[in-house]
Amino acid sequence: MERLAMKQLLEWKKSPYRKPLIVKGVRQVGKTWLLKEFGRQYYENTAYFNFDENEEYGQFFETTMDVKRILQNLMMASGQKVMPERTLIIFDEVQNCPRVINSMKYFCENAPEFHIACAGSLLGIALAKPSSFPVGKVNFMQIDPMTFTEFLIANGDKNLAVYLNSIDTIEPLPNAFFNPLQEKLKMYYVTGGMPESVLMWTQARDVSAMQEALSGILDAYERDFAKHPDISEFPKISMIWKSIPSQLARENKKFIYKVVKEGARAREYEDALQWLNDARLVHKIYRSSAPGLPVSAYDDLSAFKIYLVDVGLLRRLARLAPTAFGEGNRLFTEFKGALTENYVLQTLLTQFEVVPRYWSQNNPPYEVDFLIQRENDIFPVEVKAETNIEGKSLKKFKELFGDRVKLRVRLSMNNLKLDKDVLNIPLFMADQVSRLIGLAL
């Protein structure tokens, strides 16, 4: 599979300011595969050390912080060869070995000639702990599920991906491209972007193997919940996780604790929700009161929406069968808005540095699905699953905030066009939002 993150890894390798790399991402998102593939393509050899399979390797970091000695011990224990500049050293599953993460400081200061990448699945949580951390001595990289563009390439539709990247004017796409892209997007809602699920579909066209892959990933996540240091939090994490499809299926998608459990209070479940957020299994999107900078200054911390890490996992968690994506199916119609919003958020997170927010007001009720910050501007983004795009909320937003709104963005199944200050982007071009806003401006 082609992963666009490979380009970032190559930039890291060539950078004169390269530091040890910490690769973050949820379990099964393809971190290990990507690093091994990177080593295979761009280094003479790869030295791979897995601290889950070989817990004893962790002992080499307990007794010394002399990195040459550590590497010597690792080489002797594993029989692998490590050469400065020419070997990619991969430390995998480091989330349970704080000393390994800590040693990156010494690798950075005393042995910059070694190329080291660390990976782990609950790293967001491990790094949130107050143990000493090599601040300023590491580079970070986030690996997210495969984007729709990566899915197209994996599915043998590289021509469509190349076409989407080549669009440089805001005008409708010809049907010859529009129609197949619309169909492929439905497939992406079914598989999502987890590499194993995409592989089962694109290589074998095997729906049941794809379903099984997604179920396996969900099971692995639920086993991870038990790794919360306070075991009493485990059932709460599990309940929040299972409530997400019903949270998103509601008309007003604001997260409500009562949906998790009757009578549930915020303070009982806050830690559990924070754990899921730190693990990046869910994305927490705050309500914003106005389009101002810095974005965080306008957050309403009591109101937020929760989305899942991946649209395919959301579909599987909601027990929505792939057949639901046939035309006119009631089940799909009811849940389509939730899947579409989750998909759009997933792709916005990969394009913009600042996590999107949403905007709403109560009476009369208006809601703009997302606010994104691009450079020093804030843009409202409305998401519609179909072609019916009556956008009262976008209109209201413009009325209220006037000149602060340079452009309004709508993602729907309508074709690409600029209508005065409303940019309509087809949903299958969500990966291109930032670039298209640039063109429209």
Side-chain angles (χ1 to χ4, degrees):
M1 292 189 182
E2 251 182 76
R3 295 297 309 257
L4 304 175
M6 195 64 93
K7 205 168 99 199
Q8 279 171 272
L9 285 170
L10 204 51
E11 283 167 14
W12 169 77
K13 179 184 195 285
K14 292 175 180 167
S15 168
Y17 312 109
R18 190 194 65 257
K19 298 170 186 174
L21 181 68
I22 290 190
V23 177
K24 299 191 294 180
V26 294
R27 191 179 293 291
Q28 308 263 5
V29 82
K31 302 179 294 297
T32 305
W33 179 87
L34 183 67
L35 287 173
K36 284 181 169 177
E37 184 65 13
F38 174 55
R40 190 181 70 75
Q41 285 187 31
Y42 297 104
Y43 286 85
E44 276 181 42
N45 75 312
T46 302
Y48 176 76
F49 304 97
N50 185 313
F51 289 86
D52 201 20
E53 286 170 14
N54 306 93
E55 286 177 22
E56 62 277 14
Y57 289 167
Q59 292 171 351
F60 301 143
F61 296 79
E62 299 291 331
T63 48
T64 178
M65 278 298 161
D66 175 347
V67 294
K68 301 269 170 53
R69 218 169 106 199
I70 290 172
L71 284 177
Q72 211 169 349
N73 288 336
L74 283 170
M75 282 193 280
M76 284 164 72
S78 67
Q80 300 186 76
K81 191 168 66 170
V82 172
M83 300 170 288
E85 307 284 351
R86 296 176 4 222
T87 302
L88 176 64
I89 304 166
I90 302 173
F91 290 158
D92 204 359
E93 301 293 351
V94 297
Q95 64 274 15
N96 303 326
C97 305
R99 301 281 298 196
V100 177
I101 298 172
N102 215 356
S103 71
M104 292 306 118
K105 173 177 192 270
Y106 304 100
F107 276 104
C108 176
E109 289 171 352
N110 307 330
E113 67 275 17
F114 292 105
H115 292 212
I116 297 192
C118 298
S121 47
L122 290 174
L123 265 182
I125 287 157
L127 302 179
K129 289 177 191 153
S131 65
S132 63
F133 178 71
V135 178
K137 303 293 181 186
V138 289
N139 298 131
F140 284 106
M141 187 170 163
Q142 177 68 42
I143 306 289
D144 289 310
M146 295 172 76
T147 61
F148 180 56
T149 305
E150 288 173 315
F151 170 81
L152 286 174
I153 297 168
N155 197 44
D157 295 305
K158 191 166 186 173
N159 57 324
L160 293 175
V162 169
Y163 170 72
L164 288 177
N165 280 319
S166 72
I167 289 173
D168 57 4
T169 48
I170 306 285
E171 58 187 28
L173 280 64
N175 285 346
F177 291 110
F178 191 96
N179 296 338
L181 281 162
Q182 202 170 357
E183 285 309 305
K184 309 283 178 200
L185 182 62
K186 274 191 195 168
M187 276 162 55
Y188 180 73
Y189 284 0
V190 175
T191 64
M194 299 308 272
E196 193 190 350
S197 162
V198 172
L199 189 73
M200 293 305 158
W201 173 251
T202 56
Q203 300 295 309
R205 290 285 186 263
D206 187 335
V207 173
S208 58
M210 177 200 66
Q211 289 282 81
E212 215 161 289
L214 289 171
S215 298
I217 294 168
L218 290 172
D219 289 346
Y221 291 170
E222 297 205 16
R223 283 196 296 278
D224 277 345
F225 299 164
K227 293 180 181 168
H228 191 286
D230 177 356
I231 200 68
S232 68
E233 292 292 305
F234 168 60
K236 295 179 191 169
I237 296 172
S238 198
M239 283 160 84
I240 290 175
W241 178 250
K242 291 190 166 104
S243 83
I244 292 172
S246 44
Q247 299 272 3
L248 286 172
R250 294 178 9 261
E251 183 58 41
N252 172 5
K253 293 177 175 57
K254 179 186 155 185
F255 186 85
I256 293 178
Y257 286 98
K258 281 206 287 280
V259 175
V260 177
K261 185 185 175 194
E262 196 54 51
R265 291 203 172 85
R267 65 169 187 274
E268 295 170 64
Y269 284 84
E270 261 166 357
D271 286 355
L273 185 53
Q274 192 55 46
W275 189 92
L276 283 168
N277 194 48
D278 286 343
R280 266 184 94 94
L281 289 170
V282 305
H283 300 296
K284 192 176 186 181
I285 305 298
Y286 284 110
R287 179 184 170 274
S288 178
S289 55
L293 293 174
V295 173
S296 54
Y298 297 87
D299 285 349
D300 168 1
L301 298 180
S302 67
F304 53 88
K305 298 194 280 192
I306 294 288
Y307 293 94
L308 220 55
V309 61
D310 174 68
V311 65
L313 290 172
L314 174 62
R315 177 194 65 75
R316 192 73 192 101
L317 193 62
R319 296 279 178 262
L320 194 60
T323 48
F325 291 75
E327 284 308 306
N329 182 296
R330 179 187 62 80
L331 253 179
F332 179 50
T333 312
E334 285 175 12
F335 203 60
K336 189 162 35 184
L339 287 169
T340 306
E341 260 185 61
N342 208 95
Y343 153 70
V344 168
L345 175 71
Q346 237 175 289
T347 172
L348 294 178
L349 284 165
T350 62
Q351 294 174 71
F352 300 97
E353 201 183 338
V354 178
V355 175
R357 308 301 204 260
Y358 77 102
W359 172 84
S360 70
Q361 71 167 44
N362 283 342
N363 29 358
Y366 291 104
E367 182 171 313
V368 170
D369 298 306
F370 301 112
L371 298 184
I372 50 177
Q373 180 184 339
R374 184 181 182 276
E375 291 166 9
N376 284 330
D377 295 309
I378 309 278
F379 299 95
V381 177
E382 184 175 61
V383 177
K384 295 288 186 194
E386 283 295 337
T387 49
N388 51 339
I389 50 165
E390 221 251 307
K392 290 186 205 142
S393 297
L394 267 189
K395 207 179 284 176
K396 185 69 180 172
F397 192 83
K398 178 72 174 176
E399 269 172 38
L400 288 173
F401 302 111
D403 294 346
R404 286 155 80 178
V405 188
K406 284 188 183 174
L407 186 72
R408 293 173 288 168
V409 179
R410 181 187 290 123
L411 285 141
S412 73
M413 276 305 183
N414 285 334
N415 214 325
L416 181 64
K417 69 165 192 224
L418 185 58
D419 205 351
K420 297 194 180 97
D421 73 329
V422 177
L423 173 62
N424 193 80
I425 301 175
L427 282 162
F428 53 73
M429 290 189 79
D431 287 354
Q432 316 273 337
V433 166
S434 180
R435 201 171 67 79
L436 293 172
I437 288 175
L439 286 175
L441 289 174

